[in-house]
Amino acid sequence: MEVDNARSYNTKRKRGGDSPPLPASNGNPSNDNDSDNFDLSLLEVAEKSQKESAVEVLDLRTLKKLVLSFERRYKENIEARLKYPDQPERFADSEIELHQELQKLKLLAGGPELYPDLVNLNTIPSILGLLSHDNTDIAIDVVQLLQDLTDEDVLEDNDEPARVLVDALIENNVLELLVQNLQRLSDTDPDEMSAVYNSLATIENLIEVKPAVAELVCERTKILRWLLGKIKVREFDSNKQYASEILAILLQNSTANQKRLGQMNGVDVVLQAVAMYKSKDPKSSDEEEMVENLFDCLCCLLMPLENKERFVKAEGVELMIIIMKQKKSAYGSAIRALDFAMTKYPPACERFVDVLGLKTAFAAFMGKIPMSKKNKKERYQEELEERIVSLIASLFGGILRGSRRERLLSKFVENECEKIDRLMELYIRYSDRVKVETERMNQLELEDLEMDEEERYNRRLESGLYTLQLIAVILGHLWCSEHSRMRARIELLLKQHKLTREDVKDILQEYHDNIGDLDGPEEKERAQSRIQKFISAF
């Protein structure tokens, strides 16, 4: 969203009621030659100042000149407000001049290499101090300035100057001030809505330069609560979309933020937000992107164990099954969320079976998925396949005995073992894909492009090895059930494709050898023990 840098506006009489009305633009300037005394609108003033400053070369001398002029106007405005607190008309001119100086400072975005000098001139505290200005329009100017200075395109190839600026902004409480400002901006005024967008953009830009900001902003401010408030609103707008995106960014690589949001009833709020789309599709591509952001948030939230528990208690499993049954555009996202919820969490697997989710899941597994423009795309279908394979592997890992286990196993016997046929079809396809990638890497090595074992393994995982391993794990569960019909079907299909049990064992062995200890050494040992059992059985 572009915001006009030289916008014409009226100062609102609010938050203290002491801000004078700034001259409003009436469109084109008057052509009446006798009207020499008309007030220039801020738009015209800004255009004039930009033309005057455009001829100057942006160097250290220009920077010092801009800073000195800004600091002078800043000081004059403070003095005028202190001297005439109840007479807004007495400090109106200083407010307009301050606005002009803030517009001029935007020129600095054209020279990010000067940012360390800007910091050394100690101007950052003054700029940020204006975020709390009684005149909301001045605060809006500052937000626009910050967004311009930290813009991704501006900071590209200027890593060190960017870090210097970002560090100075954070040291001077930019995060706290931006979020406080967010809390006082309205959802109805167009200018303030633009300021909301620019505030979020600035926070995103800061995270881009310094990833630690993602946790800092959640520790120091109430941004998570503010974002939850935005996504709860039923009506869609661009700021709700951006709020969902920022929330996803804050959650994606931070266990601390995931846990923090979970403690704030975040799982329930995000579920309520996605529930709006259980039986309807988004009306635009922007709204569709927001729904995907919300599901990204949900999947990130489902990483910590305690949030999986909250998800089950909030009937998240049931909601995802309803979304799948409705066959709307969120179909694939619901499968993804269920996969996250059931990974290493048996209670979610048990609930899924209890609320009759197996029929819906296996319809997807058999390829009976709703068709739309989105999911006709080959990559979408592949992702869906990979997710549903992972979900079924999680079910087998979470339900180890009892009637639920029997219900799960029986799915592979019904209709002449069609689901084992489908499993082997996927096994062959992913096996072929991994072989192609392995041959490609071998060719690259012949051409003197060396790869270490870890890189080779990761490339094979990306080409489909991980899904192939999960298919082999599911086959291991079926084989270990000692069900004669299943075993006979698996043997027959392996033979038809000129494969043996040794081939499945090889895949399981590689999986076994590469299980990491992210969840601790005990969990690693348990996981390896389960896979070793399958290897022995084959």
Side-chain angles (χ1 to χ4, degrees), residues 281-299:
D281 285 333
K283 293 176 183 174
S284 66
S285 58
D286 285 344
E287 192 171 1
E288 186 177 321
E289 186 181 321
M290 183 201 68
V291 175
E292 288 178 10
N293 290 338
L294 291 171
F295 274 100
D296 285 345
C297 293
L298 184 58
C299 291

Side-chain angles (χ1 to χ4, degrees), residues 241-267:
Q241 178 194 352
Y242 205 2
S244 68
E245 186 178 335
I246 296 297
L247 188 58
I249 289 169
L250 294 175
L251 294 173
Q252 64 188 2
N253 293 315
S254 171
T255 303
N257 287 350
Q258 292 159 8
K259 291 183 176 182
R260 191 177 279 118
L261 195 68
Q263 290 161 1
M264 295 165 58
N265 200 33
V267 174

